[in-house]
Amino acid sequence: GIFTETDYIKFSTTRAKGASTEVESAEFIVSPVSEYVTPTDKLLGIASTDTANLAIATMQQTGVRHLVVVDKLSSSNGISIIPTEGSNVRGVISMQDVMSLVQQDERLSLESLAKKFPGIENPVTLIQEEQKSQANALAKNPEIVKEDIIRVGTAVLSVASIGLFLSQSSWLHENSQLAMIAIFVIGYICIIFEEVFEFNKAAVALLMNTGMWVTYADFYQNESGIASEGVLEQLKEQLSDVAEICFFLLAASAIVEVVDAHQGFKVVTNLITTKSKKALFWVIGFLTFFLSAILNNLTVTIVMVSLLRKLVPNDD
């Protein structure tokens, strides 16, 4: 086992509670250390090839300050009971060892910054100058410039649109159809070029639909700027249709997850043994075709996607 500060605290606590005389206290001191160590079957360790940041993460997750370094572990997650056989112990790493390494890395970083910016002695000023240097380097990157332009343009367009809606502009009342067409076109362009603009197309679709509904309700053939009862009824109908689909998807997804949790897809996956992409394509196609005749199309889609995730590795 291993005898650490925590074990010593446990030993001192036990001695304080159990020793009522000096003789009993002396008996505790001469007792075998094996009675108070952290035993081998409770030791946590890391592999000798693991990095220092993994050691820090392991100590934080498990609440320990010492890890045994071994050649190999009995589990694959980097946190393991030390095996009694087939593994050589290389040493023990403590929180003090790890923190010394971190502090050494910080000192080396400050030394390199001092060489990069001579004449500056204040560490805070050195870090600020390095941040400025990194910001200037990023500003010269075409990808960063493109992202900044897109973000600024999106922010300006959003603020202008919100201001136009809140101001109850007469232009919106007179050109509400044109405004809705413009919102649709801009939103659709953002969805089509989502990889270029790096937008979330679901968020863009929600914003586009919200803008079109607000324009239609408050400004289309409406001088008051307040949605009429007829428009609200239309909105209720549309929301009920969308809610119906959403609740159906939630229920169908829950059923599929329950089936998956009880290994229900193994009946099918065990029968599909082909390694050919073409053969798998036809098998999945026929399954989808026949299942769509007896199940809802959305349900079939969810089932087949879950089935494909079991058959095809993540890398492919």
Side-chain angles (χ1 to χ4, degrees):
I2 184 173
F3 188 75
T4 65
E5 297 95 330
T6 304
D7 297 315
Y8 174 73
I9 293 173
K10 293 179 181 178
F11 163 76
S12 301
T13 304
T14 305
R15 184 180 64 175
K17 292 180 178 179
S20 56
T21 63
E22 293 183 359
V23 176
E24 292 178 350
S25 179
E27 291 177 353
F28 269 96
I29 294 177
V30 297
S31 60
V33 71
S34 59
E35 297 180 5
Y36 303 100
V37 299
T38 301
T40 304
D41 59 352
K42 291 184 179 180
L43 290 178
L44 296 178
I46 59 173
S48 56
T49 56
D50 290 334
T51 56
N53 60 342
L54 180 61
I56 295 175
T58 304
M59 291 178 183
Q60 290 176 342
Q61 292 174 9
T62 57
V64 300
R65 292 188 294 173
H66 295 82
L67 295 173
V68 179
V69 183
V70 295
D71 288 337
K72 57 182 179 179
L73 299 173
S74 60
S75 68
S76 60
N77 60 355
I79 303 174
S80 170
I81 303 299
I82 301 302
T84 55
E85 296 180 0
S87 179
N88 296 323
V89 176
R90 294 297 186 91
V92 177
I93 186 170
S94 66
M95 181 64 75
Q96 183 178 359
D97 299 327
V98 177
M99 293 309 298
S100 298
L101 180 64
V102 172
Q103 291 174 357
Q104 181 182 4
D105 182 65
E106 291 177 350
R107 287 194 297 270
L108 291 174
S109 299
L110 289 175
E111 290 177 1
S112 61
L113 288 178
K115 294 179 181 179
K116 186 176 181 179
F117 304 103
I120 302 176
E121 298 181 357
N122 190 341
V124 177
T125 308
L126 286 172
I127 295 174
Q128 290 175 345
E129 290 297 327
E130 177 64 14
Q131 290 175 344
K132 291 179 183 179
S133 176
Q134 292 177 358
N136 292 331
L138 290 175
K140 297 177 182 179
N141 189 338
E143 293 295 326
I144 301 297
V145 173
K146 184 189 75 172
E147 292 178 5
D148 291 340
I149 293 174
I150 292 173
R151 289 172 182 171
V152 172
T154 304
V156 171
L157 184 61
S158 301
V159 171
S161 302
I162 295 172
L164 190 63
F165 281 119
L166 294 178
S167 64
Q168 295 289 323
S169 173
S170 59
W171 184 89
L172 278 175
H173 289 282
E174 298 170 359
N175 303 278
S176 56
Q177 287 184 330
L178 182 61
M180 286 189 288
I181 293 173
I183 293 172
F184 177 80
V185 171
I186 293 173
Y188 221 74
I189 289 174
C190 293
I191 291 174
I192 293 172
F193 297 100
E194 61 164 334
E195 294 185 358
V196 177
F197 297 140
E198 297 183 356
F199 288 152
N200 186 321
K201 59 183 178 183
V204 172
L206 288 173
L207 290 174
M208 178 182 70
N209 286 298
T210 302
M212 292 178 66
W213 267 108
V214 171
T215 305
Y216 174 71
D218 293 347
F219 301 101
Y220 182 69
Q221 297 180 351
N222 187 354
E223 298 296 333
S224 64
I226 300 176
S228 62
E229 291 295 330
V231 173
L232 292 178
E233 286 297 325
Q234 294 177 27
L235 182 59
K236 288 180 182 178
E237 292 177 4
Q238 295 294 327
L239 285 177
S240 63
D241 292 340
V242 174
E244 182 180 352
I245 295 174
C246 290
F247 284 123
F248 174 81
L249 288 174
L250 287 173
S253 300
I255 293 173
V256 170
E257 288 297 326
V258 170
V259 173
D260 186 21
H262 291 82
Q263 306 297 325
F265 291 116
K266 275 196 171 182
V267 178
V268 180
T269 56
N270 289 340
L271 296 176
I272 303 175
T273 58
T274 179
K275 300 296 183 181
S276 171
K277 292 182 180 180
K278 292 182 180 180
L280 182 62
F281 171 80
W282 286 108
V283 170
I284 295 299
F286 279 116
L287 279 175
T288 305
F289 177 77
F290 287 108
L291 284 176
S292 62
I294 58 176
L295 296 175
N296 183 281
N297 288 337
L298 287 175
T299 306
V300 174
T301 302
I302 296 172
V303 170
M304 298 313 297
V305 169
S306 300
L307 189 63
L308 278 172
R309 290 174 62 186
K310 300 293 181 184
L311 292 171
V312 182
N314 292 332
D315 295 339
D316 296 335

